[in-house]
Amino acid sequence: MITELKVSAIANGTVIDHIPSKSVFQVIRILNLEDFDNQLLFGINLESKKYGTKGIIKVSNKYFERDDINRIALVAPTATLIVIKDFEVIEKRNVEIPDTIDGIVKCFNPNCITNVQNVKTKFKIISKEDVILQCHYCEKNTVKKNIAFK
């Protein structure tokens, strides 16, 4: 009887661990990994001592920029990023929702200037726990379930 699943290590790239299982496909989508040409491994509903279940994504030969990390933080605030180089862990850190988000999220208000004219969006995070963003321009709030990425 097999009691443990083994997934091969990646030589270079990033592991996104501790993703809520229900958010794994959303993380893949917002990072445009459906079109990624290198190896991509993911698992959902894996056992986690800390969260009960979790998801994981391993992306070969890919390192994420700040905007991508902010996207991950907004949909999977419990996620951990692990940077791998030559099969060695170079960096391991939890994602953090920043105090402001610029240019990566659409405003929920269809009448906002950012949806009517070519104005870069700006949001203040008014709740990191519940993930609530407030538009800098129209001051409308966007809750986590309504976040749409550009």
Side-chain angles (χ1 to χ4, degrees):
M1 176 198 286
I2 298 174
T3 59
E4 190 172 325
L5 176 66
K6 298 280 186 184
V7 178
S8 61
I10 58 174
N12 296 291
T14 306
V15 176
I16 309 167
D17 198 2
H18 302 107
I19 305 166
S21 289
K22 67 182 182 346
S23 300
V24 169
F25 292 110
Q26 186 178 17
V27 172
I28 290 170
R29 222 177 9 264
I30 64 172
L31 297 176
N32 296 314
L33 296 175
E34 307 105 313
D35 301 323
F36 192 63
D37 291 331
N38 291 331
Q39 186 179 65
L40 174 71
L41 301 166
F42 69 90
I44 57 172
N45 296 320
L46 304 172
E47 188 176 320
S48 169
K49 290 180 177 84
K50 192 172 185 180
Y51 300 107
T53 63
K54 69 175 183 175
I56 189 170
I57 302 170
K58 291 184 173 191
V59 189
S60 290
N61 301 311
K62 176 86 173 150
Y63 303 101
F64 295 102
E65 301 294 326
R66 189 194 70 200
D67 282 350
D68 288 329
I69 295 167
N70 287 343
R71 284 181 175 91
I72 296 166
L74 289 173
V75 299
T78 58
T80 303
L81 287 181
I82 304 163
V83 176
I84 311 288
K85 292 189 180 173
D86 297 322
F87 292 101
E88 297 289 329
V89 173
I90 301 301
E91 179 184 3
K92 182 176 181 175
R93 64 183 168 106
N94 296 329
V95 297
E96 293 182 21
I97 298 174
D99 294 330
T100 59
I101 295 284
D102 295 340
I104 63 170
V105 174
K106 296 177 185 176
C107 183
F108 186 66
N109 176 8
N111 296 320
C112 180
I113 191 169
T114 62
N115 290 319
V116 177
Q117 296 180 13
N118 189 18
V119 176
K120 183 178 176 180
T121 60
K122 287 183 181 182
F123 292 90
K124 177 173 65 170
I125 308 301
I126 59 172
S127 174
K128 291 185 181 187
E129 186 175 311
D130 296 325
V131 188
I132 301 173
L133 292 70
Q134 183 178 62
C135 179
H136 171 77
Y137 299 101
C138 71
E139 297 184 345
K140 297 281 186 196
N141 291 347
T142 301
V143 297
K144 183 177 181 177
K145 70 177 184 173
N146 292 329
I147 291 175
F149 293 94
K150 292 185 166 217

